[in-house]
Amino acid sequence: MPPRGPSEGYDFTPILTHYLFLFTTILAVIGWFVAFIGQAVATAQVGNGSVGVLWFSIFVQLALILGVLHTLATDSIAMHRFQIATFGSIAIVFAVIGVNQGIFTGNAALDAMAAGWLILAMVDILWVLYFTSEEDSLMLHVFNSLGTGGLSPPSRRRRATRTTSMMNMGNNGYTAGYSTGGIGPMYDTKMGGSMTGPIGGTGSFRGGSAEGTPRSLGGTGSVNNLGNGGGPGSVGGGDGSIGPGSPLMGRAAGPDSNLATAESHQYRAKALYNYTASPDDPNEISFAKGDILEILDKNGKWWQARKADGTVGIAPSNYLQIV
């Protein structure tokens, strides 16, 4: 099932295929109506004294049920899990109060109310356990043994929104000035504008240097003297020159470069869960459970990956498994 977001409408398939949520949703709806009708009848028969705060509680419980259904139908567990866990915990307290105020009273309406709240209390406990479980926890493993429903797992490791990232920093993953061969303005605050301009085609800094005068990289020992051989330390030749085979010049074309290319594409990973890219970060990619992605960079918790259609972006490593 392809990933989706709140803007794509509701899909109740996860509820129907995840048996935990299928049964708890049915029980929650039944329990809510039993408690609501029981409270209404009890209020009419014996007054509001036996119900009291439970009228507020019944609508908190309704909001919780609707919130869980919305979260599951939009596959947005990671976004709403904390709110659901918080309100679920509050609802458990109210449900216990409802059971305590109605059970063993000898009044049919109050007994029905207590039965409805008892059902809701059990459902709320299961929901809180699920939404507070970490991805590697035993509790989540037990719940998912009943079926995952194609849902993305709850996770506290969702990354905060980043204002910039490597995909919009220029062609080579750095800031705009650096992408053209220069050092961009990201250093200005620390170096007083010493490197505010990019390195030009002649190898000189266009901005003011730390000494106040431009420093050219031309002349003897310059990286621009490729054709005349230069002096010592030049790229072109001479003693101590930086030739094509020098480590400072990177890998020369040949078998080694082919090996480096092969190494950068040797990993493939299988998606363990659905993942919907964050709308706040255009560099994330969405994928469905079971997709095979080519891993370009597997350093850190967010890997750079390429999908089968050629889309490149970052993906959470805990959603992927190397194959």
Side-chain angles (χ1 to χ4, degrees), residues 18 58 78 85 93 126 129 160 200 207 226 243 251 281 308 314:
H18 195 303
I58 199 72
V93 176
L126 290 175
L129 286 175
L226 300 179
R251 292 188 180 272
D281 192 340
I314 56 176

Side-chain angles (χ1 to χ4, degrees), residues 97-174:
I97 294 174
V99 174
N100 183 65
Q101 291 187 199
I103 199 168
F104 302 135
T105 59
N107 182 287
L110 290 176
D111 288 342
M113 179 189 75
W117 278 113
L118 181 61
I119 294 173
L120 291 173
M122 293 186 293
V123 170
D124 292 342
I125 290 172
L126 290 175
W127 282 349
V128 169
L129 286 175
Y130 180 88
F131 285 103
T132 56
S133 296
E134 289 293 340
E135 292 181 30
D136 300 327
S137 66
L138 175 63
M139 188 59 64
L140 184 63
H141 175 73
V142 172
F143 287 145
N144 284 342
S145 65
L146 303 176
T148 63
L151 292 169
S152 301
S155 172
R156 289 199 180 107
R157 293 191 286 265
R158 187 173 180 85
R159 191 175 84 274
T161 303
R162 300 182 304 182
T163 56
T164 58
S165 56
M166 60 183 179
M167 297 301 294
N168 56 9
M169 285 182 178
N171 297 332
N172 59 1
Y174 295 93

Side-chain angles (χ1 to χ4, degrees), residues 14-25 143 145-149:
I15 301 175
L16 301 177
T17 56
H18 195 303
Y19 296 119
L20 169 69
F21 291 117
L22 176 62
F23 294 138
T24 55
T25 300
F143 287 145
S145 65
L146 303 176
T148 63

